[in-house]
Amino acid sequence: MKAVRLLEYGGQLVFDDVPKPTISRDEILVKISSTAVNHLDLVKASGAARQILPIDLPWIPGHEYSGVVEEIGSDVAVWATGDAVFGANGVGGAYAEYLAVKPAAIARKPSNLSFEDAASVPVAAQTAWQGIFTHGHLEKGQTILIHGGAGAVGAYAVQLASHAGATVIATASGTDAAYLNSLGASRVIDHRSEQFEKVLQEKVDVVFDLIGGETQKRSFLVLKEGGRLISATQPVSQEETARYRVSGEMMRLAPSGDVLGKIARLLEEGTIRPDVATVYALQDVDQAWTDIAGNLPGFHGISPGGPGAARHSSHGKIVLRVAASEDEIRLRALELYLARGAQPGSEMEDWLQAERELVAVKLAR
């Protein structure tokens, strides 16, 4: 199969042939349709955080994906060949045509999303969910301050918190105010022209920190006593939490098919929505990484001023399309339909229904 690999820390990405994964009895083989680019991919590849985020070289990046169940292990009962799924993991591997996964880490792809849109969801949306609910214990009627609201995680946090009935305040660039208001933020504080701790009139119940540094230190000033500071970027000072009589912790994503299933239902209802900025072919991964490196100067040896860096918007995910041409995917859909007992002489409506049922193996446009 084709895959993108990193052979050494800080090295070039290589697009080449590697063995197709074999699955164990409790695994599923997913034929990847799309995968998304995350800052985590670049951080791991650079080697800058190898002490806490080690990888086994050669390494295939890609922590989230959408695709179709190609094969199931003998102990797997819930899934069937042809099911459309999406998911995330903590080790990577999705910059490839196939990926072996555990059933507990995937969920059914929302029927109203394309594979490209679905691939952009699992890491950011689950990080937001676990940050504000699992760790932050956000409840209806409370107030949450989200730092970095216009980023991929922040945008989901704004939507999820608003849907939960919380008052949502976000820090971001002033140019993103309209975008965040449309997602459910009641107030957007321009971090370039205002200091949130000086303009907030009332303290908040939860701070979800996606920025770190001085922003995190100043966040203690706006937390109610007994409030919670959840960081996705760096450890939280326990000295400061004791001083201000609040709680605080750094979270790390724990991919969960159950959580992703809840997110999928919200996506199908239209309660929350994904945001994809750009879609590249898998073989154009170098350009995709150059685009995203604009927010991570120095990582993977890519200059933020390099070609394409300015084209990436301040919000929305970059997605890599892994699947082949639409003609090949339509052929695969036909093969699966025939395998399920259809006859070549069926009426046209039968073929149309096959495409509807097996949307998982089509490129949704």
Side-chain angles (χ1 to χ4, degrees), residues 44-350:
K44 285 186 173 182
S46 73
R50 71 180 72 181
Q51 297 301 320
I52 58 174
L53 295 171
I55 55 177
D56 294 327
L57 296 168
W59 177 61
I60 300 175
H63 292 81
E64 58 188 333
Y65 53 87
S66 65
V68 181
V69 174
E70 177 86 1
E71 183 182 342
I72 58 174
S74 58
D75 291 346
V76 177
V78 176
W79 299 98
T81 300
D83 285 340
V85 299
F86 69 147
N89 64 40
V91 298
Y95 286 17
E97 291 183 296
Y98 295 93
L99 179 66
V101 304
K102 298 291 186 181
I106 62 175
R108 296 188 186 279
K109 182 183 78 67
S111 58
N112 60 326
L113 295 191
S114 69
F115 282 98
E116 289 90 346
D117 284 340
S120 74
V121 172
V123 167
Q126 288 189 87
T127 300
W129 181 290
Q130 293 177 10
I132 66 178
F133 297 132
T134 306
H135 298 278
H137 305 289
L138 184 69
E139 298 178 358
K140 181 179 180 180
Q142 293 186 328
T143 300
I144 183 172
L145 172 62
I146 301 169
H147 291 307
V153 176
Y156 281 112
V158 169
Q159 294 180 82
L160 291 169
S162 176
H163 175 64
T167 297
V168 182
I169 304 169
T171 62
S173 169
T175 57
D176 286 315
Y179 169 69
L180 289 172
N181 290 149
S182 75
L183 297 182
S186 59
R187 182 177 183 182
V188 179
I189 300 173
D190 187 345
H191 67 87
R192 295 177 300 184
S193 62
E194 298 178 296
Q195 291 184 299
F196 63 87
E197 72 274 19
K198 293 183 178 180
V199 300
L200 285 178
Q201 300 300 314
E202 297 182 0
K203 294 192 174 184
V204 304
D205 300 282
V206 179
V207 171
F208 189 31
D209 174 30
L210 302 169
I211 301 297
E214 287 298 319
T215 296
Q216 184 178 116
K217 291 181 181 179
R218 289 155 44 210
S219 294
F220 288 103
L221 299 173
V222 301
L223 267 175
K224 294 178 181 177
E225 186 172 326
R228 294 166 297 281
L229 193 161
I230 308 301
S231 171
T233 59
Q234 67 183 50
V236 177
S237 169
Q238 295 308 300
E239 291 182 359
E240 294 296 282
T241 58
R243 175 186 175 189
Y244 289 96
R245 297 182 181 180
V246 298
S247 62
E249 63 179 297
M250 179 183 178
M251 65 156 292
R252 182 172 291 181
L253 173 63
S256 164
D258 289 338
V259 168
L260 193 56
K262 294 174 182 177
I263 292 169
R265 286 191 286 275
L266 293 177
L267 287 162
E268 287 191 322
E269 295 167 0
T271 302
I272 62 176
R273 65 178 191 261
D275 188 358
V276 172
T278 312
V279 178
Y280 289 106
L282 181 61
Q283 56 266 37
D284 295 327
V285 63
D286 283 335
Q287 183 61 64
W289 278 35
T290 298
D291 283 4
I292 202 172
N295 295 325
L296 284 174
F299 278 111
H300 200 61
I302 300 174
S303 168
R311 291 201 303 270
H312 181 44
S313 67
S314 59
H315 51 80
K317 294 290 288 289
I318 295 178
V319 171
L320 299 173
R321 185 182 294 122
V322 180
S325 67
E326 186 166 350
D327 287 341
E328 180 180 342
I329 291 176
R330 284 177 178 271
L331 177 60
R332 178 61 180 155
L334 175 58
E335 290 173 348
L336 284 173
Y337 188 50
L338 293 175
R340 291 182 176 182
Q343 298 300 317
S346 299
E347 297 294 330
M348 181 59 70
E349 181 57 30
D350 291 334

